[in-house]
Amino acid sequence: MEKNDQKLLSSRLIKFWDKLYKESGDPEDCINNISMALEELAQELHLAKVVMDIRTPENRFQPQAQHLQKILYDQGREKTAEMYPFSFSFATGGNVTFYVSSAETPFQENEKIEMEAVLREIFYWYDRNLHRSFLHKVLSTDLETGAANPYGMGQFVGLLQAGKTLMQYCVVFFNIHNFKYVNKVFSYAEGDKILRKYTEQIMDSLAEDEKLARLGGDNYVALIKGEHVEDFLTEIREMRVDYANSVKSKSFLFGATVGISRLDGIQKGNLGEVMSRASIAYQESRRRAVGGVVWYSEEIRQAIMERQNVISNFKSILDNGEFIVYYQPKVDSSKMEICGAEALIRWQHEGSLIPPVKFIPQLEQEGSICRLDYYVLEQVCHFLKEREENNQRNICISVNFSRKHLEEDDFVQHVVSIIDKYEIPHKLIEVELTESEDFQQYGIMSEIVNSLKGHGIHTAIDDFGTGFSSLNMLKKVNLDVVKIDKSFIPFEEDYKGKEKDMTMLWSIVGMLHQLGKSMVAEGVETPEQLKYLQKVGCHIIQGYVFDKPLTEKEFVKRLTGDYYKTDVLK
Ligand code: C2E
Ligand code: CA
Ligand code: CA
């Protein structure tokens, strides 16, 4: 070769390497790059056609070994038979054949060696890309089901964000509703197969630019185009999966609990932000009901943050004295005299007063409620003790105790020890319990109530009538006081057409009288309701008609003088 020719070839080679080594994630792109690179050399090396054969072993994504044939370069000559082939085999399982036209000048040995070097490079480069893309697939796929895994979803979110299309999507977080049932009918191994089938069916319903990822267990997240989201919801809320083995076959209908969020207005556009919206909506969905759909909103986010706040900061909230006890008087309406009160907790947080519905359910779920109830009892005892020491009038105060206490071994001793620590008469405390949902707990409840009574502590059942077996409970557990829930006390404008409710109230009050129980009507708001209750024969009243829950300072005023004898009806 002349010196000039050599120069030409090396400049071509540089262009060749440039085009060949372009990074590409996708093996198909890699083939395109190779073809473009080969064009640089085609003329110099008299190339007519280059074909690569590659074998890929069987794997999880490809159940059978594959033999791929890729045409890397084709000058477009029709009769390959007239071409002269050179073939190189590679140890990793494949070969590359290149053809030069037999009409062209025959190859020199050194040219053949050069060509081999070039083709080796091409082969290893492609092979490397293939492995890289395979590795990428393994890293981004949930091998159990074939859906993406969280890493794969993160990559997808990154791509959408880069292409500025993320805001056209909704993120859907869902949990299969009744999947546990599957493992009761089939084995765990078969359960896995059914999960795979379920996943494949969902993936089949996706458009090409949508993605499903499994997060573990039976939890999934999907990125779905806005216009397709209603169809997708219908799909996952009623997904039928048929499965059969040699013994039995079954058709499962799966529902889902779903949290969903639009992604317009999303700021950072990373996976963390997308997932946090989805999981907030999902948490709320779970909290409301199994099998429902909840859309993300700023209000829901705030509420969840507050709840998490109360759980994670419970101890410091308690230590800082942010839980404040309010007192709601109970009034004996036959004498217009205060005859008791109920302690109700509030959380004084950053200048506002947070009501118990916003934090008690979370503390109950998490277990801290028991500590809070004992804390309230201590505060109440402390209040009563001070009054005792000052020889001031005292009345019985009831404290709410969560059902969670039924699981404690030393509930009664704990209550007694707190009261005794403050050296106040036991009769000044009433323990309010809520009806248990579990029949088996009636036995425990009965023991607790009898034991408290043995110590001279009053007991009351809260929200009577709202449980599913209030009468049973009344029969089995010998409580002193029954608090009739406000849902049994009709509003005056509702009286018409509410004969059934009124008959029920009459019957409840009549029955409680006959059983010798004391009773309190809760949530009484109007003078008309009050009059009605008096007519029915229920005289102890707790409700806004007399007072809302009061601060300790306001409550103290109710204990002095004859406040309720003056015209106080609201
Ligand atoms: P509850 O024990 O049934 O308490 C009565 C609820 O009814 C109180 O709500 C009270 O403010 C409200 N109420 C009283 N009168 C009226 C009325 O005329 N109309 C209406 N609409 N409502 C009235 P609050 O204080 O928000 O407490 C809600 C629930 O939180 C309580 O229901 C109780 O289950 C729970 N709770 C409150 N404090 C504690 C506590 O220290 N420990 C435990 N375990 N639970 C507590
Ligand atoms: Ca109560
Ligand atoms: Ca109640």
Side-chain angles (χ1 to χ4, degrees):
M1 213 185 283
E2 293 295 314
K3 221 175 180 162
N4 262 355
D5 286 351
Q6 268 180 12
K7 251 193 189 159
L8 210 63
L9 180 62
S10 60
S11 87
R12 282 219 181 90
L13 269 177
I14 290 170
K15 278 197 193 154
F16 166 76
W17 303 138
D18 268 359
K19 288 188 174 156
L20 180 68
Y21 292 145
K22 239 186 246 155
E23 285 295 330
S24 70
D26 174 24
E28 282 310 311
D29 286 347
C30 179
I31 292 283
N32 288 338
N33 294 341
I34 291 174
S35 299
M36 284 196 293
L38 275 174
E39 257 171 50
E40 288 300 322
L41 303 177
Q43 204 191 356
E44 194 66 41
L45 298 173
H46 321 290
L47 290 181
K49 189 169 180 174
V50 181
V51 180
M52 176 168 63
D53 279 307
I54 213 161
R55 283 179 191 86
T56 56
E58 64 168 79
N59 60 57
R60 241 188 138 124
F61 307 105
Q62 196 178 274
Q64 271 154 17
Q66 280 199 354
H67 181 185
L68 300 171
Q69 194 172 64
K70 300 274 176 196
I71 297 175
L72 300 179
Y73 180 75
D74 191 355
Q75 204 186 46
R77 298 203 184 167
E78 304 238 309
K79 294 183 199 140
T80 318
E82 285 176 18
M83 296 184 217
Y84 189 57
F86 295 89
S87 204
F88 302 103
S89 299
F90 300 103
T92 46
N95 61 60
V96 181
T97 309
F98 76 95
Y99 300 83
V100 287
S101 163
S102 50
E104 311 265 352
T105 341
F107 252 12
Q108 305 289 318
E109 196 51 32
N110 67 334
E111 285 176 323
K112 225 174 101 184
I113 293 172
E114 255 174 72
M115 194 60 216
E116 181 175 350
V118 165
L119 294 182
R120 263 187 201 289
E121 199 58 31
I122 287 174
F123 180 84
Y124 287 127
W125 181 245
Y126 180 74
D127 204 33
R128 192 188 134 171
N129 269 278
L130 201 64
H131 279 99
R132 220 170 47 166
S133 101
F134 184 72
L135 189 67
H136 180 260
K137 210 164 177 188
V138 170
L139 288 177
S140 58
T141 306
D142 168 51
L143 298 179
E144 213 62 66
T145 61
N149 63 14
Y151 174 75
M153 187 51 106
Q155 299 262 306
F156 186 65
V157 167
L159 279 177
L160 296 180
Q161 175 69 0
K164 301 201 177 5
T165 51
L166 184 62
M167 57 278 195
Q168 299 167 5
Y169 284 76
C170 288
V171 57
V172 186
F173 191 130
F174 61 101
N175 170 270
I176 312 178
H177 169 202
N178 28 16
F179 198 78
K180 276 182 219 103
Y181 173 63
V182 169
N183 292 329
K184 291 201 174 121
V185 182
F186 290 101
S187 68
Y188 278 96
E190 285 176 301
D192 288 349
K193 284 191 197 158
I194 295 166
L195 192 67
R196 190 174 186 104
K197 196 159 181 220
Y198 171 90
T199 310
E200 282 166 358
Q201 283 180 208
I202 292 192
M203 289 206 290
D204 283 347
S205 75
L206 300 184
E208 217 165 273
D209 51 358
E210 296 176 334
K211 195 154 214 76
L212 176 74
R214 175 169 170 252
L215 304 174
D218 51 4
N219 292 315
Y220 291 82
V221 67
L223 276 177
I224 305 294
K225 280 286 193 69
E227 64 270 18
H228 180 199
V229 85
E230 286 303 328
D231 292 342
F232 182 73
L233 288 179
T234 313
E235 191 93 16
I236 57 174
R237 296 188 74 193
E238 268 187 24
M239 169 62 80
R240 186 167 291 287
V241 178
D242 300 322
Y243 182 78
N245 61 18
S246 54
V247 187
K248 57 188 166 193
S249 70
K250 186 136 183 73
S251 179
F252 295 99
L253 186 63
F254 295 117
T257 305
V258 187
I260 179 165
S261 173
R262 286 181 219 291
L263 296 179
D264 46 358
I266 194 145
Q267 310 213 315
K268 291 192 211 101
N270 56 20
L271 182 68
E273 198 185 2
V274 168
M275 285 304 292
S276 111
R277 283 195 178 199
S279 82
I280 284 171
Y282 173 71
Q283 277 181 53
E284 182 63 15
S285 185
R286 262 191 79 123
R287 205 176 67 85
R288 289 191 193 164
V290 175
V293 177
V294 168
W295 282 85
Y296 171 88
S297 71
E298 190 48 31
E299 291 73 52
I300 291 178
R301 193 184 69 83
Q302 283 283 347
I304 293 217
M305 300 247 295
E306 261 170 29
R307 260 182 253 138
Q308 274 165 351
N309 201 2
V310 77
I311 292 172
S312 48
N313 299 327
F314 177 75
K315 200 173 166 306
S316 68
I317 297 171
L318 200 65
D319 293 347
N320 294 342
E322 288 179 40
F323 287 121
I324 316 265
V325 178
Y326 273 57
Y327 295 89
Q328 187 177 33
K330 291 176 205 167
V331 177
D332 179 344
S333 63
S334 63
K335 301 185 199 144
M336 292 305 254
E337 256 178 29
I338 188 165
C339 61
E342 176 176 8
L344 293 159
I345 198 76
R346 268 100 186 90
W347 176 20
Q348 180 100 54
H349 179 57
E350 291 174 355
S352 55
L353 210 56
I354 301 178
V357 282
K358 290 226 173 146
F359 57 88
I360 288 207
Q362 289 70 44
L363 293 179
E364 213 145 39
Q365 237 174 20
E366 187 258 355
S368 300
I369 187 67
C370 294
R371 277 190 67 188
L372 182 63
D373 290 343
Y374 290 130
Y375 174 81
V376 174
L377 177 63
E378 288 233 9
Q379 298 293 304
V380 169
C381 289
H382 180 82
F383 170 76
L384 291 169
K385 169 74 176 167
E386 268 193 1
R387 294 186 65 83
E388 288 283 290
E389 282 179 348
N390 294 325
N391 287 323
Q392 286 163 315
R393 176 187 178 198
N394 258 339
I395 51 171
C396 176
I397 295 188
S398 60
V399 177
N400 290 285
F401 284 91
S402 153
R403 283 185 200 131
K404 281 267 160 193
H405 291 279
L406 300 186
E407 294 162 22
E408 295 179 316
D409 291 334
D410 61 347
F411 173 54
V412 176
Q413 291 93 299
H414 204 150
V415 169
V416 172
S417 73
I418 291 175
I419 303 175
D420 286 347
K421 187 167 110 191
Y422 289 88
E423 298 172 312
I424 52 168
H426 289 185
K427 63 174 197 296
L428 287 182
I429 296 294
E430 181 170 282
V431 168
E432 263 186 40
L433 296 166
T434 313
E435 183 186 324
S436 170
E437 282 162 358
D438 185 347
F439 289 109
Q440 284 164 354
Q441 286 192 327
Y442 285 167
I444 303 172
M445 213 154 160
S446 175
E447 264 175 42
I448 287 176
V449 164
N450 290 339
S451 175
L452 286 167
K453 278 177 154 200
H455 285 283
I457 299 165
H458 293 279
T459 54
I461 177 77
D462 208 352
D463 305 337
F464 181 77
T466 58
F468 67 93
S469 175
S470 300
L471 290 182
N472 237 332
M473 157 107 193
L474 207 57
K475 204 166 78 183
K476 301 228 165 87
V477 188
N478 189 18
L479 296 133
D480 303 308
V481 181
V482 172
K483 297 188 81 173
I484 303 171
D485 189 72
K486 51 181 165 285
S487 56
F488 286 94
I489 303 160
F491 278 93
E492 68 277 23
E493 58 264 39
D494 285 347
Y495 284 173
K496 276 189 223 103
K498 287 268 167 138
E499 290 76 12
K500 273 195 195 141
D501 287 6
M502 295 164 77
T503 313
M504 270 183 88
L505 185 64
W506 277 96
S507 330
I508 290 172
V509 173
M511 176 189 69
L512 292 175
H513 273 309
Q514 283 186 353
L515 290 173
K517 302 278 177 201
S518 305
M519 64 197 98
V520 178
E522 269 193 304
V524 181
E525 293 189 357
T526 64
E528 287 76 11
Q529 285 178 312
L530 174 65
K531 264 184 228 133
Y532 188 77
L533 281 157
Q534 284 173 322
K535 212 161 79 188
V536 174
C538 176
H539 296 286
I540 315 287
I541 306 292
Q542 180 185 343
Y544 297 169
V545 66
F546 288 118
D547 269 313
K548 292 198 163 162
L550 307 169
T551 60
E552 187 183 301
K553 207 166 148 206
E554 289 170 312
F555 176 56
V556 164
K557 290 188 204 150
R558 304 292 189 264
L559 290 171
T560 40
D562 284 331
Y563 176 82
Y564 297 101
K565 288 220 162 70
T566 56
D567 190 14
V568 292
L569 290 186
K570 303 275 176 334

